[in-house]
């Protein structure tokens, strides 16, 4: 009898592992012409950028996705993003990019920030969640950090009052706070999320973060079925590492969002795997979720061992944004299967594979 | 060893693999600002069981707080034509949800269902016939999408009496319509990762008409080398459907064969009461019960209020997806499939004895 139960058990176990990734039948009726290919601006960027964007290009090719990329070379040391690149993004409405290196100090402003400001991409979204098969110290993490992208501490307005004294202006406006709050609640509503938490430091910056909170409270009144609460940013960081399951959607001004997103990404598996994007009223730019300006160390670039997972999952978000949900599902399933199996992982996930090996594994898993 | 298997068993049973756990997986979906704005949808309750099942959809949409609001219009099958204001409304909203409109047999009154499709040039009808988990049928592994040309063919409505006692009915097939339905079918297969498209025809008899249809399909097939294309004669097709349905994937058909094939496929997969479907044109879309959409049920079902709302609920989930509200669509589909799987609330056509309202309440309770 035990021999029979063992075979039965093996069958059950096999089905148990398989059902997590089953492609359920979703009845989706496209409009005529929905299959027409879309052009997407591609900016490989610096450092590991070209490596990981190339990974995306290979996978899109393998899937015969209805996307074709218009590639543009932009490097962090340029003084501004070239006009033709901006033209291209304005025409295509969607862009995929690797990181652009920002020199520390020096007075050269970040091209990543410049792109976001010029296109008014006011919301940055990072989805930090545990990936099946990737063990971390924290379970049940599923946090979406929605971060205001254009003002706050990143206004870039600094001046030296007298030699040795510098003032850096943090700008908070009602207009920008309202629209990021509106976007966060709209996101929660459209994605069946139950709670939105505003992150702030209004006990200290009473006027600036106070204005941000006021705007969030106003918008919260319009969504009575979504729970709204507020948390001070220092307590928030502690709660994130102690009890991350209490957080759902978090809406934050610019700087806190950067820190909270990186922390949340770290506890859920690392910035190498979290997808994300930036969206404005007319355009969207997809890049690695958290720490998107990170271009990696020279050693990773030399050995070609950058983790392509984050950009692959972000390109799945992009496919969904372009209304190609089937392709997005296939890509996400393949990537998650590769991670769950655990055989092909780059160094940040505890393995030793190269970028190309991970890409080949993903392509092999596409159905 | 038996002890080890017992502990494995208890662990497995504690977390049973449910077909629905996959649905609350994290899908990273980044809406555009303003995507949550409510959309208006024209609602035509129709005749017979129509008002009953469209009422079901309205209740569930309300319970989900879906960003949809309905503009309701009374249209009944015995009207001579669909009222102007209704057509205006559909042209304005672009999307319509409707129950069946009764078409009197004979009599010379043309079907209002057809009239709506022709006026708005809704040329493709799509029915997804698939086994629903928990609903036992004689056929397994059915997952067929029937894409049917909706505007010409045998349904042109061109008939005349040549001499008393002799009637001619014209079946019209044009290259234009055949090409566009073929193009839609292959595009659908491409966008939904389907592997095969089968054209259904009777070109051995109607050599020119169905021959033209086949030519158009073959031309379009050349543009999609990654999708297998084959053809099947409609009589053999009906037999194959009931013998080995798993061989079919996407089927593209002219008007009449599509009607028959869709009803057959719906029947083997669980019945016309549960299959979702819709009609789409270049600019508008109408969602209704998948197969047998003109069916308004018999008087007894209407009196006892025992019509099956599942088909229209699943079609409204398709509509939510068409309106770009995928999360609401997912929630609705999950709740409906859970209710069917549990098996406690089923209407007569599925072997149970519930009323429409009981099924609706169960679906609302199952919403997360």
């Amino acid at each position: 009898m035990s021999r029979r139960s063992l075979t039965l058990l093996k069958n059950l176990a096999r089905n148990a592992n398989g059902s997590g990734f089953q492609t359920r039948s979703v009845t989706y009726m496209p409009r005529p012409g929905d299959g027409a290919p879309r052009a997407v601006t591609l900016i490989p960027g610096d450092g590991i950028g070209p490596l990981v964007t190339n990974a995306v290009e290979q996978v899109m090719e393998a899937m015969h996705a209805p996307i074709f990329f218009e590639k543009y070379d932009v490097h962090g040391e340029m003084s501004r993003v070239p006009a033709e690149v901006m033209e291209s993004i304005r025409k295509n409405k969607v862009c995929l990019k690797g990181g652009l290196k920002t020199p520390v100090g020096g007075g050269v402003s970040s091209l990543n920030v410049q792109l976001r400001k010029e296109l008014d991409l006011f919301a940055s979204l990072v989805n930090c969640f545990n990936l099946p098969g990737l063990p971390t110290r924290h379970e049940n993490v599923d946090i979406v950090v929605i971060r205001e992208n254009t003002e706050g501490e990143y206004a870039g307005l600094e001046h030296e009052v007298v030699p040795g004294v510098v003032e850096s202006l943090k700008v908070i406006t009602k207009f920008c706070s309202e629209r990021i709050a509106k976007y966060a609640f709209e996101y929660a509503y459209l994605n069946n999320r139950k709670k939105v938490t505003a992150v702030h430091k209004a006990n200290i910056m009473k006027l600036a973060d106070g204005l941000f909170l006021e705007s969030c409270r106003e918008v919260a009144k319009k969504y009575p079925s979504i729970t709204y609460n507020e948390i001070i940013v220092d307590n928030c960081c502690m709660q994130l590492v102690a009890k991350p399951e209490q957080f759902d959607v978090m809406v934050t001004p610019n700087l806190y969002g950067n820190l909270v997103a990186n922390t949340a990404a770290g506890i859920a598996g690392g910035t190498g795997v979290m997808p994300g994007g930036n969206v404005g009223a007319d355009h969207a730019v997809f890049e690695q979720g958290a720490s998107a300006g990170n271009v990696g160390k020279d050693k990773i670039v030399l050995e070609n061992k950058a983790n392509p997972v984050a950009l692959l999952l972000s390109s799945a978000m992009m496919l969904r944004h372009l209304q190609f949900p089937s392709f997005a599902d296939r890509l996400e399933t393949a990537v998650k299967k590769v991670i769950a199996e655990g055989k092909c992982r780059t160094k940040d996930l505890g393995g030793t594979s190269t970028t190309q090996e991970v890409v080949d594994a993903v392509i092999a898993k596409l159905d």
Side-chain angles (χ1 to χ4, degrees), chain A residues 174-187:
Chain A
K174 185 164 158 71
F175 176 70
C176 292
S177 305
E178 251 182 25
R179 71 179 178 176
I180 195 65
K182 257 188 236 141
Y183 184 81
F185 277 92
E186 189 176 58
Y187 176 90

Side-chain angles (χ1 to χ4, degrees), chain A residues 146-221:
Chain A
I146 295 185
R147 156 195 178 192
E148 208 289 329
N149 228 355
T150 57
E151 57 171 22
E153 301 80 353
Y154 286 48
L157 301 162
E158 300 182 306
H159 62 280
E160 198 173 21
V161 185
V162 292
V165 179
V166 171
E167 271 178 2
S168 173
L169 293 175
K170 159 176 169 165
V171 179
I172 297 280
T173 61
K174 185 164 158 71
F175 176 70
C176 292
S177 305
E178 251 182 25
R179 71 179 178 176
I180 195 65
K182 257 188 236 141
Y183 184 81
F185 277 92
E186 189 176 58
Y187 176 90
Y189 172 58
L190 287 173
N191 287 279
N192 199 23
R193 295 276 185 164
K194 309 285 190 256
K195 184 159 72 166
V196 173
T197 308
V199 179
H200 66 98
K201 189 85 178 138
N203 48 346
I204 304 293
M205 283 173 269
K206 295 185 202 291
L207 290 187
D209 288 354
L211 177 55
F212 180 78
L213 283 185
E214 252 179 60
S215 313
C216 292
R217 287 174 196 150
E218 282 244 13
V219 177
K221 289 190 204 137

Side-chain angles (χ1 to χ4, degrees), chain A residues 233-253:
Chain A
V233 61
D234 46 12
N235 184 25
C236 172
C237 292
M238 193 275 281
Q239 295 291 338
L240 265 177
V241 297
K243 257 185 65 184
E245 57 271 13
Q246 64 181 295
F247 295 110
D248 192 353
V249 176
M250 305 174 79
V251 60
T252 81

Side-chain angles (χ1 to χ4, degrees), chain A residues 291-356:
Chain A
S291 192
N294 187 337
V295 294
K297 300 195 288 256
D298 291 337
K299 185 159 139 213
I300 305 183
V301 180
L302 278 176
E303 295 177 352
N304 288 342
K305 284 188 171 184
N307 196 343
V309 171
L311 202 66
L312 281 170
L313 290 178
S314 294
S315 64
M317 276 175 76
M318 179 184 77
L319 286 168
R320 221 168 253 112
H321 189 83
L322 291 167
Q323 316 293 350
F324 297 131
S326 239
F327 291 93
D329 282 348
R330 287 167 65 195
L331 179 45
E332 278 189 358
T333 312
V335 171
K336 287 179 181 174
K337 268 193 207 168
V338 168
I339 295 185
E341 278 188 355
K343 277 183 286 191
C344 266
R345 291 184 184 177
T346 46
K347 188 147 170 275
D348 57 326
L349 299 182
T352 54
S353 303
T354 62
T355 308
Q356 192 56 46

Side-chain angles (χ1 to χ4, degrees), chain A residues 32-312:
Chain A
D34 271 359
R38 291 285 304 267
V40 170
T41 308
L42 179 68
I43 300 177
D46 298 313
I48 59 169
L51 206 53
V52 293
T53 50
N54 179 263
V56 172
E57 283 181 284
Q58 288 185 47
V59 176
M60 291 289 173
E61 186 75 43
M63 277 203 299
H64 302 295
I67 305 262
F68 61 91
F69 291 109
E70 285 180 7
K71 213 186 297 193
Y72 289 96
D73 247 338
V74 181
H75 297 293
E77 72 263 9
M78 295 178 175
S79 63
R80 32 181 310 114
V81 178
E84 49 166 3
V85 181
M86 302 300 298
E87 279 292 317
S88 167
I89 302 181
R90 289 210 171 94
K91 175 175 62 102
N92 296 332
K93 309 273 186 224
V94 175
C95 169
L96 184 73
K97 66 183 270 284
L100 297 170
K101 204 176 162 80
T102 308
V104 174
V108 177
S109 40
S110 159
L111 290 184
N112 297 311
V113 178
Q114 192 207 332
L115 205 59
R116 289 174 203 147
K117 283 191 177 167
E118 277 220 36
L119 298 167
D120 203 22
L121 300 171
F122 65 86
S124 159
L125 190 153
V126 187
N127 188 5
C128 305
F129 57 98
N130 281 121
L131 279 159
L134 193 60
T136 54
R137 293 180 188 82
H138 299 81
E139 310 263 293
N140 285 325
V141 181
D142 189 1
I143 301 173
V144 178
V145 183
I146 295 185
R147 156 195 178 192
E148 208 289 329
N149 228 355
T150 57
E151 57 171 22
E153 301 80 353
Y154 286 48
L157 301 162
E158 300 182 306
H159 62 280
E160 198 173 21
V161 185
V162 292
V165 179
V166 171
E167 271 178 2
S168 173
L169 293 175
K170 159 176 169 165
V171 179
I172 297 280
T173 61
K174 185 164 158 71
F175 176 70
C176 292
S177 305
E178 251 182 25
R179 71 179 178 176
I180 195 65
K182 257 188 236 141
Y183 184 81
F185 277 92
E186 189 176 58
Y187 176 90
Y189 172 58
L190 287 173
N191 287 279
N192 199 23
R193 295 276 185 164
K194 309 285 190 256
K195 184 159 72 166
V196 173
T197 308
V199 179
H200 66 98
K201 189 85 178 138
N203 48 346
I204 304 293
M205 283 173 269
K206 295 185 202 291
L207 290 187
D209 288 354
L211 177 55
F212 180 78
L213 283 185
E214 252 179 60
S215 313
C216 292
R217 287 174 196 150
E218 282 244 13
V219 177
K221 289 190 204 137
K222 304 208 179 77
Y223 292 85
S225 53
I226 298 178
T227 314
Y228 167 71
N229 62 356
E230 302 166 353
I231 187 168
I232 299 184
V233 61
D234 46 12
N235 184 25
C236 172
C237 292
M238 193 275 281
Q239 295 291 338
L240 265 177
V241 297
K243 257 185 65 184
E245 57 271 13
Q246 64 181 295
F247 295 110
D248 192 353
V249 176
M250 305 174 79
V251 60
T252 81
N254 213 331
L255 179 68
Y256 312 149
N258 193 6
L259 310 185
V260 164
N262 276 275
T263 311
I267 58 173
T271 53
V273 294
M274 300 301 145
N278 306 274
V279 70
D282 302 315
H283 311 282
V285 172
F286 293 87
E287 45 188 1
Q288 180 172 303
S291 192
N294 187 337
V295 294
K297 300 195 288 256
D298 291 337
K299 185 159 139 213
I300 305 183
V301 180
L302 278 176
E303 295 177 352
N304 288 342
K305 284 188 171 184
N307 196 343
V309 171
L311 202 66
L312 281 170

